Amino acid sequence: MPRRPLVRSVRTRQFAINAVLAVLFGCSSTDTTGSVYAPPTESERDPQRAHALTEEAATWITKDPEEAERLLREALTADLYHGPAHNNLGVLHLQHDKLYEAAHEFEWARKLLPGHPDPRLNLALVLERAGRPSEALDSYNAALEIAPEHVPTMQGLARLLVRTGREDPRLEGLFETIALRGENESWRQWARQQMSRR
């Protein structure tokens, strides 16, 4: 079986996030992990700076996670409602097995990026790692509702269904798609093997 799908960081240039989202989704200002995000007033927010810092942090995520985290926290200080910064901070937490902190950041990102599957995929990966397959399944399904052709989510969902022995009418179609469009040869080969066993 191929490795778990990699958590997916979000590049901010993919989004035009409107400041109104924060008001619409009513995100809490207190992080129950011990740190407090101080909600800025509208005049204190700096979305352009948050965008630039998140972009810079994305270049450091694999090379220097500490520097990436510093930049992401600075981005959230500039604009608490910058969804990609929350998602990418969650990625860093997940890489260090800080599951609660990762889930918290992915929840923020999910609310702030309603049309993007990556925070939902990442949350599913956290839930799987935490031994909560039913909730992980729900999160994979939520990601596919937003982006039905999102191959990384299809891979994660198919792997979870196989691993837990769950039958799902979509499974054959998932295998077919992964066999053709999987992110790498390992995933494509895994899907072909699963199809041959059915």
Side-chain angles (χ1 to χ4, degrees):
M1 181 179 301
R3 292 179 353 157
R4 287 184 178 173
L6 295 175
V7 290
R8 312 209 33 111
S9 61
V10 174
R11 299 296 294 215
T12 56
R13 68 175 139 258
Q14 297 173 351
F15 304 102
I17 300 196
N18 192 326
V20 175
L21 286 176
V23 175
L24 290 175
F25 291 98
C27 294
S28 166
S29 64
T30 303
D31 174 352
T32 57
T33 62
S35 65
V36 176
Y37 291 130
T41 64
E42 196 61 39
S43 64
E44 293 173 329
R45 290 179 61 204
D46 190 348
Q48 289 80 18
R49 179 163 168 68
H51 171 84
L53 288 164
T54 302
E55 283 293 306
E56 185 179 350
T59 66
W60 292 103
I61 283 182
T62 56
K63 295 185 276 188
D64 187 348
E66 288 180 12
E67 176 64 7
E69 182 174 350
R70 185 191 69 75
L71 290 165
L72 291 169
R73 291 195 184 279
E74 192 175 334
L76 290 171
T77 299
D79 184 5
L80 176 61
Y81 304 115
H82 191 66
H86 283 288
N87 183 78
N88 294 0
L89 186 55
V91 168
L92 288 172
H93 287 317
L94 184 56
Q95 288 173 348
H96 292 97
D97 286 322
K98 296 178 180 177
L99 301 184
Y100 182 82
E101 293 89 343
H104 184 77
E105 294 300 336
F106 294 141
E107 281 293 340
W108 269 84
R110 183 183 62 78
K111 291 175 183 176
L112 295 167
L113 302 170
H116 201 284
D118 285 349
R120 289 151 184 82
L121 166 61
N122 292 339
L123 183 58
L125 295 170
V126 169
L127 292 165
E128 269 196 83
R129 198 176 290 184
R132 297 165 75 173
S134 294
E135 292 172 63
L137 183 62
D138 291 342
S139 195
Y140 283 128
N141 286 331
L144 287 176
E145 284 177 21
I146 290 167
E149 297 299 315
H150 193 243
V151 172
T153 301
M154 292 177 165
Q155 292 170 168
L157 175 60
R159 184 186 47 76
L160 175 63
L161 292 170
V162 168
R163 187 175 61 78
T164 59
R166 296 174 190 236
E167 284 302 317
D168 188 299
R170 300 172 294 175
L171 199 51
E172 197 63 37
L174 291 170
F175 290 149
E176 290 173 7
T177 300
I178 296 166
L180 292 173
R181 297 178 23 223
E183 287 187 300
N184 56 47
E185 183 54 35
S186 177
W187 275 109
R188 292 187 291 272
Q189 182 178 0
W190 175 80
R192 288 191 293 269
Q193 288 171 349
Q194 296 302 316
M195 289 167 66
S196 70
R197 293 177 185 161
R198 293 184 111 32

